[in-house]
């Protein structure tokens, strides 16, 4: 038989499926799966366009178009921050995601703000001019292209911009130290370490990118920082460690910047001063150069760059005033620099300085050209054989830790990579773009390190940790580089200070700008530290390697790897503690985006026409789970599908309970269900044959829902089935708000449906049912009943629904009186309960009652056929027979045996547990 294909554009072609579509006037058509209401549902097309219920909402980073049926999504950390603006008409969301009512003042304010932002969006569609403020660290800080023209209307950037933003962020002052660091490790080992550490850093950076996924963080996973992940995994200490070492890296960067800027300002000042001297036609130090191929050796470096005779000459010509006295590299210049740059650090927003980010790219390209020109000028000066030669090159050196520490800081992007990739237009390209960015950075580091190292014309021990120091102030290319880098670093320094204060103040005060005084004090402390380092320890290479070694060990290697190992520890502990499992399940229930990400990686149960797919193993009945890929493939052969619309969240399971491991993560268990229609009598299609073939292809068979509930071996699987049926039925039923008739926004998990205009959330409901075992005062006889329409010889306990305002004990007493016409005493709850999906969704609660056998039994004929007292031996015999024949295949069809006690409900029913406990004298 040819498979029946389901056409996405034509409903009703497949005779196997019932289709339901919901109209705005409240009428229903048949639906394809019977569990509708998630995103991308058919009803979304009915809500598109300019119709009531559609509104545009401004967020902090983009413009969203949402319908009235969409939920108010929040992202909140432990302080309730990090929320985009979304007016919900008075529906507030607490930190834990629960709804709370807003005050009248708040509602009026929010309503006014909603109107204002809506107007702004129309004035500036897709732009950034009128957008809301960014959270803490805006992604623009790291963009290589700071102009909005390079982004689409939604504010997203393409892969090319993302790649160069990653590359530009990594390209820093470490470039100037690469030749020195390579000399410390040796040529061959140096190149190997540059490439290998790039690969390791790329892997850990990617792990940081993936780290927020699948975790129930206190913020939206798309807006989470790595510190949020560390806080969830390791508690408050984890957050403190991650923030501390992130700040340590930034402080190290400020110190290196200060040393280099002092150096560049010092030598630039020298050149300017000399050029302003009377009758100056040349720069004096260029007249007495003692270097080869325009390269200095750092021996007597300061004396050669600024000979003592010029100091004495200046003193003679200027009297008491001396330029050298007021212009000292390790004295006055770092202080002058502080006065020059300190006002720039106190701006509330560093947006202006982001416009100069492109200078970083230009400076890197200039250094590449600069070192290439020196290689062309000086040639390759390397000797691998003669250790006494000044050109001798070591391939290996035990000082290589200087290079590894420097490289760790050079490739450090881990505290910014989430922010950079947040504006990625195609997140599926994150791995590729990150890899290309690291490849470009690695190329630049290797190129500059090797080129300068190979061209250096004297012994390699002369290479400075800032290779520009190997050139005199009169060298045109190096002087230009110093001046250009000085300006570029002055524009980047306020961004570094902004990042430092944002992380410190957000952690301490919960906001990045607690006040001008606090910012002033913090900036003064950081600048003071940087000035002291520039005066007393101006060693760029040492600062880089020590900061890189310490911070890199923790932030680059340890924390990302611990995050990666965390899921495996969860699996070993059985998805962690019960609290962890419950919180993860609650997170997936409430956050559609998180659950959608788990959907292709989940395990799936299947139910067709209220018939679950099961398999028998040694006479034991079990539910079958399938992976998304397998189930989609098999259903596709019959024109069916597994989608978010016809699936609901059932549980969080250990990956060992499924056919896939999914990298050790806890797995979401979904239930997929749909209903079919019976073809016309003259149709050649056999309804049962198709369903049986489908079941066979999936390795099981479909059985009736009631029989599955009665015969499934494990209680957990019975609960899964009950929840699956309950949620599927809820999603099919609750389509409109009962108050305003607005189409409800049903959660992806099917755990609730929201009406935003009414500020009301609908939840799946349970109907409480009491089920009671009745015994006599001697506890040797039990009163069991037979329901109308039940199979021959099956007796059970009295059960009934609770009514409004009725305590459960009273429900039990009333139901016994209604059904068997006797009064009871000593009613007690037994602590037993069971979800039961028939007829709708019930919760059955077990009770035991006592009654006098002398009372005359008067059954309710519309509900019961018989009610009778049985001895313990009679009930025990029926219990034994049921245990041997759980499928009740031995039921007699003779009318004479109809009222004889032969069976009780199978072990899947709560009645079985009640009767068994009574037989065993446990109750």
């Amino acid at each position: 038989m040819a498979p029946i294909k389901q056409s996405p554009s034509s409903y009703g072609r497949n005779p196997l499926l019932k289709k339901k579509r919901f109209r705005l006037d409240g009428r229903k058509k048949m639906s394809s799966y019977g569990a509708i209401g998630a995103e991308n549902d058919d009803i979304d097309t009915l809500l598109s366009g300019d119709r009531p219920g559609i509104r545009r909402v401004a967020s902090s980073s983009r413009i969203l178009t949402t319908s009235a049926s969409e939920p108010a999504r929040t992202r909140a950390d432990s302080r309730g921050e990090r929320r985009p603006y979304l007016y919900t008409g008075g529906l507030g969301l607490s930190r834990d995601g629960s709804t709370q009512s807003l005050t009248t003042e708040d509602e009026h304010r929010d309503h006014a703000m909603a109107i204002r932002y809506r107007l702004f969006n129309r004035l500036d569609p897709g732009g950034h001019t009128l957008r809301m403020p960014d959270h803490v660290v805006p992604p623009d800080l790291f963009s290589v292209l700071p102009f909005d023209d390079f982004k689409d209307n939604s504010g997203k950037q393409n892969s090319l911009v993302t790649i160069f933003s990653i590359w530009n962020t990594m390209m820093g002052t470490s470039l100037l130290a690469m030749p020195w660091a390579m000399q410390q490790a040796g040529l061959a080992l140096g190149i190997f370490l540059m490439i290998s550490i790039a690969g390791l850093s790329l892997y850990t950076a990617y792990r940081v990118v993936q780290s927020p996924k699948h975790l129930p963080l206190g913020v939206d996973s798309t807006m989470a920082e790595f510190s949020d992940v560390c806080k969830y995994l390791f508690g408050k200490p984890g957050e403190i460690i991650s923030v501390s070492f992130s700040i340590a890296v930034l402080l190290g960067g400020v110190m290196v910047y200060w040393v280099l800027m002092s150096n560049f300002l010092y030598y630039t000042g020298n050149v300017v001063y000399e050029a302003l001297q009377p009758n100056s036609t040349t720069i004096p130090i260029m007249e007495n150069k003692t270097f080869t191929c325009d390269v200095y050796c750092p021996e007597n470096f300061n004396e050669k760059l600024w000979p003592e005779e010029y100091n004495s000459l200046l003193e003679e010509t200027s009297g008491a005033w001396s330029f050298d006295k007021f212009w000292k590299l390790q004295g006055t210049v770092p202080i002058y620099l502080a006065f020059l740059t300190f006002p720039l650090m106190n701006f509330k927003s560093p947006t202006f300085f982001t416009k100069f980010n492109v200078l970083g790219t230009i400076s890197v390209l200039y250094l590449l050209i600069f070192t290439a020109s020196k290689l062309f000028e000086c040639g390759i000066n390397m000797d691998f054989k003669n250790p006494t030669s000044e050109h001798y090159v070591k391939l290996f050196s035990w000082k290589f830790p200087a290079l590894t520490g420097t490289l760790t800081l050079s490739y450090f992007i881990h505290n910014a990579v989430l922010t950079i990739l947040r504006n990625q237009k195609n997140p599926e390209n994150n791995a590729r773009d990150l890899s290309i960015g690291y490849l470009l950075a690695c190329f630049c580091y290797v190129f500059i390190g090797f080129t300068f190292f190979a061209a250096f014309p004297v012994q390699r021990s002369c290479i400075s940790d800032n290779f520009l120091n190997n050139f005199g102030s009169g060298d045109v290319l190096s002087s230009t580089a110093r001046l250009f880098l000085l300006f570029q670093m002055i524009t980047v320094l306020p961004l570094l200070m902004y990042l430092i204060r944002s992380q410190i103040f957000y952690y301490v005060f919960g906001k990045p700008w607690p006040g001008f005084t606090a910012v002033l004090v913090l900036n003064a402390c950081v600048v003071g530290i940087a000035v002291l380092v520039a005066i007393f320890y101006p060693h760029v290479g040492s600062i880089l390697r020590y900061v890189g070694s310490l911070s890199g060990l923790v932030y680059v290697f340890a924390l990302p790897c611990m995050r990666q190992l965390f899921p495996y520890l969860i699996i070993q502990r059985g998805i962690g503690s019960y609290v962890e499992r419950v919180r993860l399940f609650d997170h997936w229930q409430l956050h559609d985006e998180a659950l959608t990400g788990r959907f292709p990686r989940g395990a799936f149960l299947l139910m067709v026409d209220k018939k679950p797919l099961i398999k028998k193993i040694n006479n034991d009945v079990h539910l079958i789970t399938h992976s998304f890929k397998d189930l989609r493939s098999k259903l596709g052969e019959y024109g069916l599908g597994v989608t978010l619309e016809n699936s609901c969240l059932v549980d969080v399971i250990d990956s060992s309970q499924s056919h896939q491991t999914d990298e050790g993560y806890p797995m979401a268990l979904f239930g997929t269900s749909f209903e079919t229609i019976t073809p016309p009598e003259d149709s050649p299609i056999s309804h049962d044959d198709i369903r049986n073939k489908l079941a066979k292809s999936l390795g099981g068979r479909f059985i009736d829902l009631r029989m599955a509930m009665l015969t499934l071996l494990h209680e957990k699987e019975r609960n899964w089935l009950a929840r699956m049926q309950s949620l599927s039925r809820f999603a099919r039923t609750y389509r409109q708000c009962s108050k305003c008739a607005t189409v409800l926004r049903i959660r992806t998990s099917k755990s609730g449906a929201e009406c935003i205009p009414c500020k009301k959330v609908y939840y799946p409901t349970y109907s409480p049912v009491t089920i009671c075992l009745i015994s006599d005062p001697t506890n040797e006889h039990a009163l069991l009943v037979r329901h109308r329409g039940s199979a021959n010889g099956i007796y059970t306990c009295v059960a009934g629904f609770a009514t409004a305002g009725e305590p459960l004990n009273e429900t039990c007493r009333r139901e016994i009186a209604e059904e068997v016409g006797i009064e009871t005493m000593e009613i007690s709850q037994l602590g037993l309960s069971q979800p039961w999906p028939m007829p709708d969704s019930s919760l059955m609660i077990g009770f035991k009652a006592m009654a006098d056998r002398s009372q005359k039994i008067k059954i309710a004929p519309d509900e019961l056929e018989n009610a009778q007292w049985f001895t313990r031996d009679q009930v025990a015999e029926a219990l034994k027979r049921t245990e041997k024949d759980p499928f009740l295949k031995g039921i007699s069809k003779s009318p004479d045996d109809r009222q004889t006690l032969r069976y009780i409900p199978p072990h899947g029913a709560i009645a079985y547990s009640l009767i068994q406990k009574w037989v065993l004298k446990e109750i």
Side-chain angles (χ1 to χ4, degrees), residues 613-624 699-701 703 711 886-887 889:
L613 183 67
I614 60 95
K615 63 180 178 181
K616 290 182 64 177
I617 302 177
N618 299 327
N619 263 347
D620 294 330
V621 180
H622 301 271
L623 292 175
I624 301 178
R701 64 189 182 96
I703 67 171
T711 57
F887 290 94
K889 296 180 179 180

Side-chain angles (χ1 to χ4, degrees), residues 214-247:
H214 324 311
L215 292 180
L217 304 176
V219 297
D220 187 346
S221 62
T222 60
M223 301 302 296
E225 301 292 347
F226 191 54
S227 58
D228 297 315
V229 176
C230 293
K231 180 180 180 180
Y232 170 78
L233 297 179
F234 314 114
K236 200 68 173 179
E239 182 184 25
I240 294 174
I241 290 173
S242 63
V243 172
S244 299
F245 282 97
S246 176
I247 294 173

Side-chain angles (χ1 to χ4, degrees), residues 18-78:
K18 291 181 180 178
K19 306 286 185 180
K20 292 184 182 179
R21 299 185 75 183
F22 196 82
R23 297 182 177 177
L24 293 178
D25 61 5
R27 292 174 291 173
K28 294 184 179 180
K29 289 185 178 180
M30 303 310 290
S31 166
S32 57
Y33 303 116
I36 311 176
E39 296 179 11
N40 300 325
D41 196 86
D42 296 332
I43 61 175
D44 292 342
T45 58
L46 301 176
L47 296 174
S48 61
D50 294 330
R51 279 189 284 276
I54 299 293
R55 65 177 186 274
R56 292 175 62 81
V57 182
S59 76
S60 62
S61 60
R62 58 186 181 276
I63 305 300
L64 302 174
T65 302
T66 63
S67 72
S69 62
E70 289 184 351
R73 297 188 180 182
T74 65
R75 52 182 197 269
D77 64 356
S78 58

